């Protein structure tokens, strides 16, 4: 017998802005969304730890080509630091490694915030996805090794106190790519002399998406299965059940258009003829009084649909990454 080919998914494209629940890993979430949409391709724009909740932008189909632009976007987190204990993982998952009876006042915490605002040097946690000599730091840490992770530059746009109650402080931070919130908790605890770790973490925004774009697993499942034919699904004799086509209309309506990830780029409107040439890999002359003459990166659209990402040189759009029509 010949080998049965792997079933191919649907060529559906767009962004799903998932409100990831606590306990679900990012890879698990992507697999769940890919299965619900029966998509042929899926990926996420920035890992969210299983103990964290909140925004996990998941790209389907052609949207996977725009993942780097979302990864580079600013992020906003709401997080709680529990004072008194430092843990091996800098969150609730690991055992306590250092303790203190001291607790900071709100004034002491507030006075520390300027040190953690702006461009700062930050050392990632021992339990992180940073690669050390080709291996993930968390794999080495789980084997009991203490690895030397070099500090790196990250940018903190703002760091605010939301609530303070002695044993805990709730913060909101707006930060750039590569920032570890767990490191913020660890380092602030050390500076305050009381130690600290993350007890709750929620990502509330990933530019260009906002909380208005959130979709939960329950909403997705309701959209996917809410109109299912109950008679067929409950049939006692599977052989007699009639296989009906799946209606993806409701769940597909929850997607954000692929082009939303490219709001950061200059937008160039082109004709259908130009779009055809670009999709074949050919450059086209950009027309229009307001069209830029030069741009390292720009986004070309036709009839509001994404066509390509490319460079504009001497008034000519040269495609670098083309999207299916």
């Amino acid at each position: 017998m010949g080998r049965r080919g792997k079933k191919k998914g649907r060529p559906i494209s767009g962004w799903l802005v998932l409100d990831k629940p606590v306990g679900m890993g990012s890879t698990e979430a992507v697999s769940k969304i890919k299965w619900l949409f029966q998509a042929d391709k899926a990926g996420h724009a920035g890992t969210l730890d299983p103990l964290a909740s909140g925004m996990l932008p998941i790209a389907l189909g052609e949207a996977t080509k725009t993942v780097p632009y979302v990864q580079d976007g600013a992020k906003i987190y709401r997080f709680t630091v529990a004072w008194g204990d430092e843990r091996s993982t800098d969150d609730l998952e690991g055992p306590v490694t250092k303790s203190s009876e001291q607790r900071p006042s709100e004034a002491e915490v507030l006075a520390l915030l300027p040190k953690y605002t702006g461009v700062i040097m930050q050392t990632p946690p021992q339990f992180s996805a940073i690669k050390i000599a080709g291996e993930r730091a968390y794999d080495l840490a789980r084997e009991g090794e203490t690895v030397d992770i070099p500090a790196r530059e990250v940018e903190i746009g703002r760091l605010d106190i939301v609530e303070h109650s002695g044993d805990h402080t709730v913060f909101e931070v707006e930060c750039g790519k590569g920032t570890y919130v767990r490191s913020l908790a660890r380092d602030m605890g050390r500076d305050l002399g009381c130690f600290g770790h993350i007890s709750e973490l929620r990502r509330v925004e990933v530019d260009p998406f906002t909380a208005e774009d959130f979709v939960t697993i329950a909403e997705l499942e309701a959209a996917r299965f809410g109109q299912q034919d109950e008679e067929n699904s409950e049939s006692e004799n599977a052989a007699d059940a009639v296989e009906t086509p799946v209606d993806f209309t409701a769940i597909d309506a929850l997607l954000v258009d692929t082009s939303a990830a490219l709001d950061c780029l200059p937008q160039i409107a082109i004709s259908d003829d130009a779009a055809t040439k670009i999709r074949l890999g050919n450059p086209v002359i950009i027309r229009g009084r307001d069209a830029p003459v030069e741009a390292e990166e720009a986004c070309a659209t036709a009839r509001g649909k994404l066509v390509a990402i490319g460079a504009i040189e001497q008034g000519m759009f040269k495609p670098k990454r083309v999207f299916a029509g």
Side-chain angles (χ1 to χ4, degrees):
M1 285 181 66
R3 292 181 62 186
R4 177 178 293 181
K6 185 177 180 181
K7 185 177 180 181
K8 190 175 181 181
R10 295 192 303 142
I12 183 70
S13 295
W15 281 93
L16 190 284
V17 185
L18 180 67
D19 188 350
K20 187 192 80 66
V22 171
M24 176 179 281
S26 295
T27 301
E28 180 187 355
V30 171
S31 296
K32 176 81 172 180
I33 299 309
K34 185 178 180 183
W35 175 76
L36 283 169
F37 281 88
Q38 293 295 292
D40 61 353
K41 193 188 306 181
H44 66 74
T47 300
L48 202 55
D49 293 338
L51 290 181
S53 68
M55 189 171 290
L56 182 66
I58 296 176
L60 301 181
E62 292 286 275
T64 56
K65 297 177 181 177
T66 67
V67 163
Y69 298 91
V70 178
Q71 286 179 325
D72 288 343
K75 300 167 180 65
I76 298 177
Y77 295 88
R78 180 74 62 96
F79 64 101
T80 302
V81 178
W83 306 115
D85 292 328
E86 185 171 306
R87 293 173 177 257
S88 63
T89 56
D90 301 315
D91 61 16
L92 289 172
E93 188 175 10
V96 174
T97 55
K98 298 175 184 176
S99 293
S100 172
E101 296 297 323
Q102 184 177 333
R103 297 294 183 270
S105 66
E106 183 171 359
E108 288 174 321
V109 178
L110 190 62
L112 185 63
L113 299 189
K115 180 179 178 180
Y116 291 95
T117 307
V119 177
I120 66 171
M121 296 302 294
Q122 184 185 76
T123 302
Q126 290 286 306
F127 285 82
S128 64
I130 300 294
K131 281 194 173 182
I132 306 294
E135 294 192 64
R136 298 291 185 186
Y138 54 65
D139 289 330
L140 297 172
R142 288 185 183 119
E143 293 171 2
E145 292 188 41
T146 300
V147 295
D148 184 18
I149 304 177
R152 58 185 186 173
E153 200 174 81
V154 298
E155 186 170 2
I156 310 293
R158 64 179 175 86
L159 178 59
D160 302 320
I161 295 175
V162 176
E163 182 183 326
H164 178 81
S165 60
D167 287 337
H168 296 80
T169 305
V170 180
F171 297 90
E172 187 167 281
V173 63
E174 182 175 351
C175 55
K177 181 181 179 181
T179 304
Y180 278 91
V181 181
R182 286 181 290 140
S183 291
L184 282 177
R186 176 199 66 205
D187 294 343
M188 286 193 291
R190 290 175 180 178
D191 280 345
L192 291 166
C194 63
F195 306 117
H197 64 275
I198 295 285
S199 61
E200 189 173 346
L201 175 63
R202 179 169 175 78
R203 188 156 66 193
V204 296
E205 194 168 307
V206 179
D207 191 50
F209 306 116
T210 68
E212 293 181 357
D213 300 312
F214 267 137
V215 182
T216 65
I217 293 290
E219 289 171 331
L220 287 162
E221 290 178 337
R224 174 71 168 78
F225 303 113
Q227 304 302 317
Q228 189 176 29
D229 187 332
E230 294 183 6
E231 291 185 3
N232 283 344
S233 63
E234 296 175 4
S235 174
E236 295 181 3
N237 187 347
D240 294 336
V242 178
E243 185 174 343
T244 57
V246 177
D247 183 1
F248 289 98
T249 305
I251 194 169
D252 287 353
L254 299 175
L255 291 176
V256 177
D257 193 79
T258 299
S259 61
L262 304 175
D263 285 348
C264 56
L265 299 181
Q267 306 290 309
I268 310 299
I270 59 174
S271 67
D272 290 344
D273 288 342
T276 299
K277 292 177 181 177
I278 286 174
R279 287 196 171 103
L280 292 173
N282 299 313
V284 298
I285 295 174
I286 300 301
R287 305 186 186 280
R289 185 178 59 183
D290 299 326
V293 177
E294 301 285 336
E296 288 187 9
E297 279 193 311
C299 173
T301 62
R303 297 176 184 265
K305 291 294 184 180
L306 184 59
V307 176
I309 299 169
I312 300 176
E313 299 174 3
Q314 298 179 336
M316 182 168 286
F317 182 87
K318 298 181 178 181
K320 294 179 179 178
R321 180 154 285 186
V322 176
F323 296 82

